[in-house]
Amino acid sequence: MEHFLKDFLLNVLIISSPFVLYPYLYRLKNRLLYYRFLMFFIFALALIVTMCFPVKISGFNYDFRSIPLTIGSLYGGGVIALLLYGTLIATRYLLGSPDNLIYAISILPTYLIVYIAIRRFQHASLAWKIAWAVILSILIKLITLILFLTITNQPQFFLHQPLHMLTTYAMQAFIVGITVYAIEFLNRHYHMQEEVVKSEKMRLVSDMAASVAHEIRNPLTAVRGFIHLLGSPGIQPEKKEFYKTICFSELDRAEHIIADYLSLARTDPELMEAINVNVEVEYLSNILLTYANFNNVHLSVQLAKGDVPMTMGDRYKFRQALINIGKNAIEAMPNGGTLELATECRNDTVKVTIRDTGSGMTGDQLKRLGTPYYSTKEKGTGLGTMISFSIIKKMHGKIDVRSEAGKGTRFTLHFPQHKTETM
Ligand code: ADP
Ligand code: MG
Protein backbone atom coordinates (compact mmCIF):
# COMPACT_ATOMS: atom_id res chain seq x y z
CA MET A 1 0.00 0.00 0.00
CA GLU A 2 2.75 2.39 0.95
CA HIS A 3 4.41 2.46 -2.44
CA PHE A 4 1.42 4.07 -4.09
CA LEU A 5 0.61 6.33 -1.18
CA LYS A 6 3.66 8.34 -2.12
CA ASP A 7 2.48 8.57 -5.71
CA PHE A 8 -0.91 9.64 -4.48
CA LEU A 9 0.51 12.40 -2.36
CA LEU A 10 2.56 13.62 -5.29
CA ASN A 11 -0.60 13.68 -7.38
CA VAL A 12 -2.42 15.61 -4.70
CA LEU A 13 0.39 18.13 -4.60
CA ILE A 14 0.33 18.49 -8.37
CA ILE A 15 -3.39 19.02 -8.64
CA SER A 16 -3.60 21.40 -5.72
CA SER A 17 -0.83 23.67 -7.00
CA PRO A 18 -3.03 25.46 -9.59
CA PHE A 19 -5.39 26.42 -6.76
CA VAL A 20 -2.68 28.79 -5.61
CA LEU A 21 -3.94 31.05 -8.39
CA TYR A 22 -7.36 31.27 -6.80
CA PRO A 23 -6.77 34.61 -4.99
CA TYR A 24 -6.15 36.24 -8.36
CA LEU A 25 -9.35 34.72 -9.62
CA TYR A 26 -11.37 36.35 -6.91
CA ARG A 27 -10.22 39.82 -7.90
CA LEU A 28 -11.50 39.27 -11.40
CA LYS A 29 -15.01 38.45 -10.25
CA ASN A 30 -16.43 41.65 -11.69
CA ARG A 31 -14.97 40.97 -15.11
CA LEU A 32 -16.96 37.94 -16.02
CA LEU A 33 -15.23 36.98 -19.24
CA TYR A 34 -11.72 37.07 -17.75
CA TYR A 35 -12.96 35.36 -14.65
CA ARG A 36 -14.47 32.51 -16.64
CA PHE A 37 -11.42 32.18 -18.82
CA LEU A 38 -9.01 32.03 -15.87
CA MET A 39 -11.34 29.69 -14.01
CA PHE A 40 -11.35 27.32 -16.96
CA PHE A 41 -7.60 27.65 -17.38
CA ILE A 42 -6.82 26.81 -13.75
CA PHE A 43 -9.05 23.78 -13.53
CA ALA A 44 -8.26 22.50 -17.01
CA LEU A 45 -4.58 22.66 -16.09
CA ALA A 46 -5.18 20.66 -12.93
CA LEU A 47 -7.21 18.18 -14.92
CA ILE A 48 -4.56 17.67 -17.59
CA VAL A 49 -1.72 17.40 -15.08
CA THR A 50 -3.45 14.78 -12.96
CA MET A 51 -4.28 12.75 -16.06
CA CYS A 52 -0.69 12.88 -17.28
CA PHE A 53 0.66 11.52 -14.00
CA PRO A 54 -1.67 8.74 -12.92
CA VAL A 55 -0.90 6.38 -10.05
CA LYS A 56 -0.40 2.77 -11.06
CA ILE A 57 -1.85 0.17 -8.70
CA SER A 58 -1.67 -3.47 -9.73
CA GLY A 59 -1.98 -2.73 -13.41
CA PHE A 60 -4.65 -0.05 -13.05
CA ASN A 61 -4.30 3.67 -13.53
CA TYR A 62 -5.87 5.90 -10.93
CA ASP A 63 -6.00 9.63 -11.10
CA PHE A 64 -7.93 12.46 -9.49
CA ARG A 65 -9.59 13.82 -12.61
CA SER A 66 -12.98 14.11 -10.94
CA ILE A 67 -11.61 16.59 -8.39
CA PRO A 68 -10.84 19.51 -10.73
CA LEU A 69 -13.83 18.52 -12.82
CA THR A 70 -16.19 18.73 -9.85
CA ILE A 71 -14.79 21.84 -8.24
CA GLY A 72 -14.25 23.70 -11.50
CA SER A 73 -17.82 22.95 -12.55
CA LEU A 74 -19.40 23.90 -9.24
CA TYR A 75 -17.60 27.22 -9.03
CA GLY A 76 -17.44 28.00 -12.73
CA GLY A 77 -21.00 27.16 -13.81
CA GLY A 78 -22.54 25.22 -16.68
CA VAL A 79 -20.37 26.56 -19.50
CA ILE A 80 -17.08 25.99 -17.70
CA ALA A 81 -18.31 22.53 -16.74
CA LEU A 82 -18.96 21.66 -20.36
CA LEU A 83 -15.55 22.97 -21.39
CA LEU A 84 -13.90 20.91 -18.65
CA TYR A 85 -15.70 17.80 -19.84
CA GLY A 86 -14.43 18.55 -23.33
CA THR A 87 -10.89 19.03 -22.02
CA LEU A 88 -11.05 15.75 -20.16
CA ILE A 89 -12.20 13.76 -23.18
CA ALA A 90 -9.69 15.48 -25.45
CA THR A 91 -6.82 14.86 -23.00
CA ARG A 92 -7.77 11.22 -22.70
CA TYR A 93 -7.72 10.93 -26.47
CA LEU A 94 -4.35 12.67 -26.78
CA LEU A 95 -2.86 10.42 -24.12
CA GLY A 96 -3.72 7.47 -26.35
CA SER A 97 -6.17 5.73 -24.03
CA PRO A 98 -8.42 3.10 -25.61
CA ASP A 99 -12.22 3.23 -26.09
CA ASN A 100 -12.49 7.01 -26.15
CA LEU A 101 -15.95 7.09 -27.63
CA ILE A 102 -17.27 4.69 -25.01
CA TYR A 103 -15.59 6.73 -22.33
CA ALA A 104 -17.23 9.90 -23.62
CA ILE A 105 -20.61 8.17 -23.64
CA SER A 106 -19.99 6.95 -20.09
CA ILE A 107 -19.00 10.28 -18.61
CA LEU A 108 -21.35 12.66 -20.40
CA PRO A 109 -24.53 11.60 -18.51
CA THR A 110 -22.87 12.81 -15.30
CA TYR A 111 -22.98 16.32 -16.76
CA LEU A 112 -26.70 16.32 -16.07
CA ILE A 113 -26.12 15.75 -12.36
CA VAL A 114 -23.40 18.40 -12.36
CA TYR A 115 -25.75 20.84 -14.05
CA ILE A 116 -28.45 20.30 -11.43
CA ALA A 117 -25.92 20.50 -8.60
CA ILE A 118 -24.47 23.83 -9.77
CA ARG A 119 -27.72 25.71 -9.00
CA ARG A 120 -28.12 24.22 -5.55
CA PHE A 121 -24.47 24.63 -4.74
CA GLN A 122 -24.43 28.41 -5.14
CA HIS A 123 -26.86 29.07 -2.31
CA ALA A 124 -25.85 26.26 0.00
CA SER A 125 -24.26 26.65 3.42
CA LEU A 126 -20.61 25.72 3.89
CA ALA A 127 -21.37 22.23 5.20
CA TRP A 128 -23.73 21.55 2.32
CA LYS A 129 -21.26 22.87 -0.19
CA ILE A 130 -18.67 20.43 1.05
CA ALA A 131 -21.24 17.62 1.06
CA TRP A 132 -22.42 18.45 -2.47
CA ALA A 133 -18.90 18.56 -3.83
CA VAL A 134 -17.90 15.28 -2.18
CA ILE A 135 -21.06 13.47 -3.32
CA LEU A 136 -20.74 14.86 -6.82
CA SER A 137 -17.11 13.84 -7.21
CA ILE A 138 -17.98 10.32 -6.04
CA LEU A 139 -20.99 10.10 -8.35
CA ILE A 140 -19.04 11.26 -11.40
CA LYS A 141 -16.38 8.63 -10.82
CA LEU A 142 -18.79 5.85 -9.93
CA ILE A 143 -21.34 6.38 -12.70
CA THR A 144 -18.64 6.73 -15.34
CA LEU A 145 -16.91 3.57 -14.17
CA ILE A 146 -20.12 1.51 -14.06
CA LEU A 147 -21.25 2.69 -17.48
CA PHE A 148 -17.81 2.18 -19.00
CA LEU A 149 -17.39 -1.34 -17.62
CA THR A 150 -20.94 -2.28 -18.61
CA ILE A 151 -20.58 -1.10 -22.18
CA THR A 152 -17.14 -2.68 -22.60
CA ASN A 153 -18.58 -5.82 -21.01
CA GLN A 154 -16.01 -6.26 -18.25
CA PRO A 155 -18.07 -5.95 -15.04
CA GLN A 156 -15.62 -8.23 -13.25
CA PHE A 157 -13.26 -5.24 -12.88
CA PHE A 158 -15.75 -3.23 -10.91
CA LEU A 159 -14.93 -4.71 -7.52
CA HIS A 160 -11.58 -6.01 -8.61
CA GLN A 161 -9.62 -4.29 -5.88
CA PRO A 162 -12.24 -3.14 -3.36
CA LEU A 163 -9.72 -1.89 -0.82
CA HIS A 164 -7.83 0.18 -3.35
CA MET A 165 -11.02 1.50 -4.77
CA LEU A 166 -12.29 2.51 -1.37
CA THR A 167 -9.00 4.21 -0.59
CA THR A 168 -9.13 6.27 -3.78
CA TYR A 169 -12.70 7.33 -3.08
CA ALA A 170 -11.89 8.25 0.51
CA MET A 171 -8.86 10.25 -0.52
CA GLN A 172 -10.76 11.99 -3.25
CA ALA A 173 -13.56 12.90 -0.84
CA PHE A 174 -11.03 14.25 1.62
CA ILE A 175 -9.26 16.41 -0.97
CA VAL A 176 -12.52 17.74 -2.40
CA GLY A 177 -13.76 18.63 1.08
CA ILE A 178 -10.55 20.42 2.01
CA THR A 179 -10.44 22.30 -1.29
CA VAL A 180 -14.01 23.54 -1.03
CA TYR A 181 -13.36 24.60 2.53
CA ALA A 182 -10.22 26.47 1.48
CA ILE A 183 -11.97 28.24 -1.39
CA GLU A 184 -14.86 29.26 0.83
CA PHE A 185 -12.47 30.46 3.49
CA LEU A 186 -10.63 32.62 0.97
CA ASN A 187 -13.90 33.92 -0.47
CA ARG A 188 -15.06 34.98 2.96
CA HIS A 189 -11.74 36.57 3.74
CA TYR A 190 -11.79 38.66 0.56
CA HIS A 191 -15.41 39.49 0.99
CA MET A 192 -14.72 40.77 4.48
CA GLN A 193 -11.84 42.90 3.23
CA GLU A 194 -14.17 44.46 0.67
CA GLU A 195 -16.70 45.13 3.39
CA VAL A 196 -14.08 46.92 5.51
CA VAL A 197 -13.19 49.18 2.59
CA LYS A 198 -16.85 49.91 1.96
CA SER A 199 -17.72 50.63 5.57
CA GLU A 200 -14.70 52.88 5.94
CA LYS A 201 -15.85 54.76 2.88
CA MET A 202 -19.27 55.19 4.43
CA ARG A 203 -17.59 56.57 7.51
CA LEU A 204 -15.71 59.02 5.32
CA VAL A 205 -19.00 60.09 3.78
CA SER A 206 -20.67 60.55 7.14
CA ASP A 207 -17.67 62.40 8.58
CA MET A 208 -17.78 64.85 5.70
CA ALA A 209 -21.54 65.32 5.88
CA ALA A 210 -21.50 68.01 8.56
CA SER A 211 -18.97 70.15 6.73
CA VAL A 212 -20.80 69.74 3.42
CA ALA A 213 -24.11 70.75 4.98
CA HIS A 214 -22.38 73.70 6.58
CA GLU A 215 -20.80 74.74 3.32
CA ILE A 216 -24.10 74.60 1.46
CA ARG A 217 -25.72 76.85 3.99
CA ASN A 218 -23.47 79.77 3.02
CA PRO A 219 -24.57 80.06 -0.63
CA LEU A 220 -28.15 79.50 0.41
CA THR A 221 -27.98 82.35 2.92
CA ALA A 222 -26.42 84.59 0.27
CA VAL A 223 -29.09 83.75 -2.29
CA ARG A 224 -31.81 84.37 0.24
CA GLY A 225 -30.41 87.84 0.96
CA PHE A 226 -30.19 88.76 -2.71
CA ILE A 227 -33.72 87.60 -3.43
CA HIS A 228 -34.80 89.82 -0.62
CA LEU A 229 -32.97 92.74 -2.22
CA LEU A 230 -34.47 91.98 -5.62
CA GLY A 231 -37.90 92.37 -4.11
CA SER A 232 -37.22 95.85 -2.73
CA PRO A 233 -38.89 98.69 -4.71
CA GLY A 234 -37.08 101.11 -7.07
CA ILE A 235 -34.12 98.89 -7.77
CA GLN A 236 -32.08 99.68 -10.89
CA PRO A 237 -32.10 97.13 -13.72
CA GLU A 238 -28.26 96.81 -13.76
CA LYS A 239 -28.27 96.09 -10.04
CA LYS A 240 -30.99 93.52 -10.62
CA GLU A 241 -28.83 91.74 -13.23
CA PHE A 242 -25.85 91.86 -10.90
CA TYR A 243 -27.77 90.30 -8.01
CA LYS A 244 -29.12 87.65 -10.31
CA THR A 245 -25.63 86.73 -11.51
CA ILE A 246 -24.43 86.37 -7.94
CA CYS A 247 -27.46 84.24 -7.07
CA PHE A 248 -26.78 81.88 -9.96
CA SER A 249 -23.09 81.55 -9.22
CA GLU A 250 -23.82 80.84 -5.56
CA LEU A 251 -26.39 78.21 -6.50
CA ASP A 252 -23.91 76.67 -8.93
CA ARG A 253 -21.40 76.48 -6.13
CA ALA A 254 -23.86 74.68 -3.90
CA GLU A 255 -24.66 72.32 -6.71
CA HIS A 256 -20.97 71.58 -7.23
CA ILE A 257 -20.46 70.82 -3.58
CA ILE A 258 -23.40 68.43 -3.60
CA ALA A 259 -22.25 66.75 -6.82
CA ASP A 260 -18.73 66.26 -5.44
CA TYR A 261 -20.12 64.91 -2.24
CA LEU A 262 -22.40 62.48 -4.01
CA SER A 263 -19.62 61.14 -6.20
CA LEU A 264 -17.65 60.48 -3.03
CA ALA A 265 -20.17 57.89 -1.93
CA ARG A 266 -20.24 56.09 -5.26
CA THR A 267 -19.08 52.52 -5.34
CA ASP A 268 -18.58 51.66 -8.98
CA PRO A 269 -17.17 48.31 -9.99
CA GLU A 270 -13.42 48.31 -9.84
CA LEU A 271 -11.68 48.96 -13.11
CA MET A 272 -8.28 49.98 -14.35
CA GLU A 273 -8.35 53.18 -16.33
CA ALA A 274 -6.02 56.01 -17.19
CA ILE A 275 -6.55 58.76 -14.64
CA ASN A 276 -5.50 62.35 -14.86
CA VAL A 277 -3.95 63.00 -11.46
CA ASN A 278 -4.42 66.77 -11.83
CA VAL A 279 -8.15 66.31 -12.22
CA GLU A 280 -8.28 64.01 -9.21
CA VAL A 281 -6.24 66.32 -6.98
CA GLU A 282 -8.48 69.17 -8.07
CA TYR A 283 -11.45 67.06 -7.05
CA LEU A 284 -9.68 66.27 -3.79
CA SER A 285 -9.17 69.97 -3.11
CA ASN A 286 -12.84 70.69 -3.80
CA ILE A 287 -14.08 67.99 -1.51
CA LEU A 288 -11.53 68.82 1.20
CA LEU A 289 -12.20 72.55 0.94
CA THR A 290 -15.47 72.21 2.79
CA TYR A 291 -13.82 70.08 5.46
CA ALA A 292 -10.85 72.46 5.68
CA ASN A 293 -13.05 75.54 6.01
CA PHE A 294 -14.95 73.80 8.73
CA ASN A 295 -11.68 73.19 10.60
CA ASN A 296 -10.05 76.57 9.96
CA VAL A 297 -7.48 75.11 7.64
CA HIS A 298 -6.13 77.03 4.69
CA LEU A 299 -5.81 75.04 1.48
CA SER A 300 -3.20 75.59 -1.19
CA VAL A 301 -3.07 73.65 -4.45
CA GLN A 302 -0.29 73.48 -6.98
CA LEU A 303 -0.88 71.39 -10.06
CA ALA A 304 1.75 70.12 -12.50
CA LYS A 305 2.00 72.19 -15.65
CA GLY A 306 3.04 70.97 -19.06
CA ASP A 307 2.92 67.19 -19.13
CA VAL A 308 -0.49 65.86 -18.11
CA PRO A 309 0.18 63.61 -15.13
CA MET A 310 -1.55 60.37 -16.01
CA THR A 311 -1.44 57.06 -14.18
CA MET A 312 -3.41 53.83 -14.16
CA GLY A 313 -5.89 52.87 -11.47
CA ASP A 314 -9.46 52.93 -10.33
CA ARG A 315 -10.68 56.51 -10.15
CA TYR A 316 -13.00 56.13 -7.18
CA LYS A 317 -10.56 54.04 -5.16
CA PHE A 318 -7.82 56.56 -5.90
CA ARG A 319 -10.08 59.35 -4.63
CA GLN A 320 -10.81 57.40 -1.49
CA ALA A 321 -7.07 56.92 -0.92
CA LEU A 322 -6.31 60.63 -1.34
CA ILE A 323 -9.26 61.79 0.73
CA ASN A 324 -8.29 59.53 3.63
CA ILE A 325 -4.80 61.02 3.69
CA GLY A 326 -6.05 64.58 3.22
CA LYS A 327 -8.69 64.20 5.88
CA ASN A 328 -6.11 62.92 8.38
CA ALA A 329 -3.94 65.91 7.55
CA ILE A 330 -6.80 68.31 8.32
CA GLU A 331 -7.64 66.41 11.48
CA ALA A 332 -4.01 66.75 12.57
CA MET A 333 -4.49 70.55 12.63
CA PRO A 334 -7.17 71.13 15.28
CA ASN A 335 -6.06 74.72 15.69
CA GLY A 336 -5.91 75.48 12.01
CA GLY A 337 -2.97 75.49 9.66
CA THR A 338 -2.15 74.98 6.02
CA LEU A 339 -2.74 71.98 3.84
CA GLU A 340 -0.69 71.87 0.67
CA LEU A 341 -1.62 69.68 -2.25
CA ALA A 342 0.73 69.40 -5.20
CA THR A 343 1.28 67.29 -8.28
CA GLU A 344 4.39 66.98 -10.35
CA CYS A 345 5.66 64.95 -13.32
CA ARG A 346 9.27 63.84 -13.19
CA ASN A 347 11.32 60.97 -14.61
CA ASP A 348 8.33 58.94 -15.70
CA THR A 349 6.70 59.21 -12.31
CA VAL A 350 3.76 61.25 -11.17
CA LYS A 351 4.28 62.73 -7.75
CA VAL A 352 1.47 63.75 -5.40
CA THR A 353 2.37 65.64 -2.25
CA ILE A 354 0.05 66.19 0.70
CA ARG A 355 1.66 68.30 3.36
CA ASP A 356 0.20 69.63 6.60
CA THR A 357 1.42 71.85 9.39
CA GLY A 358 -0.25 69.76 12.07
CA SER A 359 0.70 67.72 15.10
CA GLY A 360 3.09 65.43 13.21
CA MET A 361 4.12 61.99 14.40
CA THR A 362 6.96 60.55 16.44
CA GLY A 363 9.14 57.82 14.97
CA ASP A 364 7.15 55.15 16.80
CA GLN A 365 3.85 56.51 15.59
CA LEU A 366 5.17 56.71 12.07
CA LYS A 367 6.14 53.04 12.21
CA ARG A 368 2.62 52.05 13.16
CA LEU A 369 0.99 54.20 10.51
CA GLY A 370 -0.90 52.07 8.03
CA THR A 371 -1.26 49.09 10.34
CA PRO A 372 -4.90 48.16 10.96
CA TYR A 373 -6.72 49.66 13.94
CA TYR A 374 -3.90 52.02 14.84
CA SER A 375 -5.56 55.27 15.76
CA THR A 376 -4.84 58.07 18.20
CA LYS A 377 -8.30 59.58 17.76
CA GLU A 378 -11.19 59.18 20.11
CA LYS A 379 -13.55 58.09 17.37
CA GLY A 380 -10.91 56.81 14.97
CA THR A 381 -11.02 53.40 13.34
CA GLY A 382 -7.40 53.23 12.29
CA LEU A 383 -8.42 51.80 8.93
CA GLY A 384 -8.23 54.86 6.69
CA THR A 385 -4.48 54.88 6.19
CA MET A 386 -4.32 51.13 5.80
CA ILE A 387 -6.91 51.26 3.03
CA SER A 388 -5.19 54.20 1.34
CA PHE A 389 -1.87 52.38 1.37
CA SER A 390 -3.35 49.21 -0.06
CA ILE A 391 -5.08 51.14 -2.86
CA ILE A 392 -1.87 53.00 -3.68
CA LYS A 393 0.17 49.79 -3.70
CA LYS A 394 -2.34 48.17 -6.02
CA MET A 395 -1.70 51.06 -8.39
CA HIS A 396 2.03 50.26 -8.13
CA GLY A 397 2.53 53.49 -6.25
CA LYS A 398 5.22 54.18 -3.66
CA ILE A 399 4.57 56.01 -0.42
CA ASP A 400 7.02 58.18 1.43
CA VAL A 401 5.99 59.76 4.73
CA ARG A 402 8.09 62.33 6.53
CA SER A 403 6.86 63.65 9.81
CA GLU A 404 8.11 65.67 12.72
CA ALA A 405 6.21 65.83 15.98
CA GLY A 406 4.79 69.32 16.49
CA LYS A 407 5.75 70.51 13.02
CA GLY A 408 3.75 68.55 10.49
CA THR A 409 3.67 65.70 8.05
CA ARG A 410 4.35 65.24 4.38
CA PHE A 411 3.00 62.38 2.33
CA THR A 412 4.68 61.92 -1.02
CA LEU A 413 3.14 59.41 -3.39
CA HIS A 414 4.94 58.28 -6.53
CA PHE A 415 2.99 56.65 -9.32
CA PRO A 416 4.25 55.25 -12.59
CA GLN A 417 3.41 57.71 -15.34
CA HIS A 418 1.03 56.44 -17.96
CA LYS A 419 1.97 57.81 -21.34
CA THR A 420 -0.77 58.16 -23.86
CA GLU A 421 0.21 57.66 -27.45
CA THR A 422 0.08 61.07 -29.16
CA MET A 423 1.09 61.71 -32.72
P1 ADP B 1 -8.13 57.33 11.97
O1 ADP B 1 -8.10 58.56 11.13
O2 ADP B 1 -9.48 56.72 12.03
O3 ADP B 1 -7.50 57.50 13.30
P2 ADP B 1 -6.19 56.43 10.08
O4 ADP B 1 -5.75 55.08 9.65
O5 ADP B 1 -6.72 57.33 9.04
O6 ADP B 1 -7.26 56.22 11.22
O7 ADP B 1 -4.97 57.12 10.79
C1 ADP B 1 -4.27 56.42 11.80
C2 ADP B 1 -3.51 57.36 12.70
O8 ADP B 1 -2.37 57.88 12.03
C3 ADP B 1 -4.27 58.57 13.15
O9 ADP B 1 -5.08 58.29 14.28
C4 ADP B 1 -3.16 59.56 13.47
O10 ADP B 1 -2.66 59.34 14.76
C5 ADP B 1 -2.06 59.18 12.51
N1 ADP B 1 -1.97 60.10 11.38
C6 ADP B 1 -2.35 59.86 10.12
N2 ADP B 1 -2.12 60.91 9.31
C7 ADP B 1 -1.56 61.87 10.10
C8 ADP B 1 -1.08 63.22 9.86
N3 ADP B 1 -1.14 63.78 8.64
N4 ADP B 1 -0.56 63.87 10.92
C9 ADP B 1 -0.49 63.30 12.13
N5 ADP B 1 -0.93 62.07 12.42
C10 ADP B 1 -1.45 61.34 11.43
MG1 MG C 1 -8.38 58.79 9.06
Side-chain angles (χ1 to χ4, degrees):
M1 183 121 177
E2 266 168 31
H3 63 283
F4 70 78
L5 210 63
K6 248 196 244 157
D7 286 347
F8 261 138
L9 285 179
L10 185 70
N11 220 293
V12 170
L13 203 70
I14 292 171
I15 68 158
S16 49
S17 55
F19 294 122
V20 173
L21 284 173
Y22 192 77
Y24 297 97
L25 248 187
Y26 188 86
R27 283 191 209 138
L28 289 174
K29 267 210 159 134
N30 292 327
R31 298 157 82 182
L32 208 59
L33 208 63
Y34 281 109
Y35 176 75
R36 290 229 164 117
F37 173 75
L38 200 65
M39 189 84 167
F40 169 67
F41 176 77
I42 288 179
F43 287 99
L45 193 69
L47 196 61
I48 294 168
V49 171
T50 183
M51 287 174 76
C52 288
F53 302 98
V55 184
K56 278 202 170 57
I57 310 168
S58 32
F60 283 90
N61 278 347
Y62 289 89
D63 64 45
F64 287 126
R65 65 183 71 173
S66 39
I67 297 177
L69 188 65
T70 307
I71 294 173
S73 303
L74 287 177
Y75 282 97
V79 180
I80 303 286
L82 207 58
L83 288 174
L84 288 174
Y85 269 85
T87 310
L88 196 157
I89 294 167
T91 310
R92 195 177 183 279
Y93 172 76
L94 290 174
L95 287 174
S97 309
D99 302 321
N100 279 300
L101 188 64
I102 298 175
Y103 184 77
I105 294 170
S106 313
I107 198 167
L108 280 176
T110 62
Y111 178 75
L112 215 68
I113 308 172
V114 170
Y115 193 78
I116 297 167
I118 288 171
R119 291 257 172 96
R120 313 221 153 179
F121 184 77
Q122 277 166 359
H123 307 288
S125 63
L126 177 64
W128 271 110
K129 275 189 173 168
I130 294 178
W132 268 115
V134 169
I135 293 170
L136 199 63
S137 70
I138 291 174
L139 279 181
I140 291 178
K141 207 174 161 92
L142 204 61
I143 292 174
T144 311
L145 187 69
I146 291 174
L147 283 176
F148 187 78
L149 292 179
T150 312
I151 300 173
T152 52
N153 202 17
Q154 36 188 357
Q156 72 276 17
F157 286 127
F158 180 58
L159 283 174
H160 182 61
Q161 295 269 7
L163 190 65
H164 285 164
M165 206 171 128
L166 227 61
T167 318
T168 50
Y169 277 91
M171 274 204 164
Q172 179 182 295
F174 180 71
I175 299 166
V176 167
I178 292 273
T179 311
V180 171
Y181 181 79
I183 291 177
E184 289 299 314
F185 180 81
L186 283 177
N187 274 351
R188 260 173 224 199
H189 173 74
Y190 291 123
H191 185 70
M192 231 146 80
Q193 265 185 346
E194 278 172 3
E195 287 303 306
V196 167
V197 174
K198 263 191 219 153
S199 71
E200 187 61 15
K201 189 163 184 176
M202 284 306 127
R203 198 179 79 100
L204 198 72
V205 172
S206 78
D207 278 1
M208 309 287 269
S211 61
V212 169
H214 181 84
E215 199 74 4
I216 290 168
R217 221 164 55 192
N218 293 342
L220 289 186
T221 316
V223 169
R224 194 174 191 280
F226 283 114
I227 290 176
H228 216 75
L229 281 178
L230 281 172
S232 46
I235 196 162
Q236 289 160 354
E238 314 88 73
K239 271 264 163 73
K240 252 189 184 167
E241 265 318 297
F242 178 63
Y243 292 159
K244 251 165 74 184
T245 320
I246 296 182
C247 277
F248 281 129
S249 82
E250 286 296 295
L251 286 175
D252 281 346
R253 202 163 83 83
E255 205 182 305
H256 269 135
I257 294 171
I258 293 172
D260 281 349
Y261 178 70
L262 285 180
S263 90
L264 175 67
R266 269 168 76 163
T267 44
D268 287 44
E270 194 167 342
L271 43 93
M272 273 291 185
E273 56 191 331
I275 36 191
N276 182 335
V277 177
N278 270 354
V279 171
E280 295 313 317
V281 171
E282 185 124 46
Y283 171 83
L284 172 74
S285 73
N286 284 339
I287 198 99
L288 284 183
L289 184 67
T290 52
Y291 202 58
N293 283 343
F294 201 59
N295 291 282
N296 282 324
V297 167
H298 173 73
L299 201 68
S300 112
V301 187
Q302 213 144 39
L303 298 180
K305 294 197 181 74
D307 250 9
V308 182
M310 303 290 285
T311 192
M312 293 297 286
D314 176 273
R315 185 185 308 274
Y316 297 100
K317 289 260 159 67
F318 182 52
R319 284 181 181 176
Q320 188 181 0
L322 293 183
I323 295 167
N324 276 335
I325 297 173
K327 190 167 153 281
N328 278 340
I330 293 172
E331 284 161 2
M333 301 182 275
N335 304 316
T338 307
L339 173 66
E340 273 175 41
L341 307 175
T343 60
E344 201 184 329
C345 265
R346 193 183 286 171
N347 302 336
D348 292 337
T349 54
V350 174
K351 208 166 95 178
V352 179
T353 316
I354 300 168
R355 188 217 291 267
D356 67 67
T357 55
S359 59
M361 283 171 275
T362 62
D364 273 349
Q365 287 174 328
L366 202 55
K367 261 190 217 138
R368 298 191 60 188
L369 186 73
T371 54
Y373 309 114
Y374 166 65
S375 174
T376 54
K377 293 167 200 167
E378 205 179 313
K379 285 189 181 156
T381 58
L383 292 171
T385 318
M386 182 197 80
I387 289 170
S388 293
F389 285 8
S390 89
I391 293 172
I392 292 164
K393 279 182 191 143
K394 250 194 207 160
M395 293 171 64
H396 307 293
K398 291 198 185 75
I399 307 149
D400 176 38
V401 190
R402 302 278 159 93
S403 189
E404 205 176 322
K407 289 230 169 116
T409 308
R410 189 186 67 199
F411 278 76
T412 317
L413 317 175
H414 303 262
F415 297 98
Q417 186 173 6
H418 173 74
K419 295 222 166 108
T420 39
E421 248 53 31
T422 42
M423 297 293 283

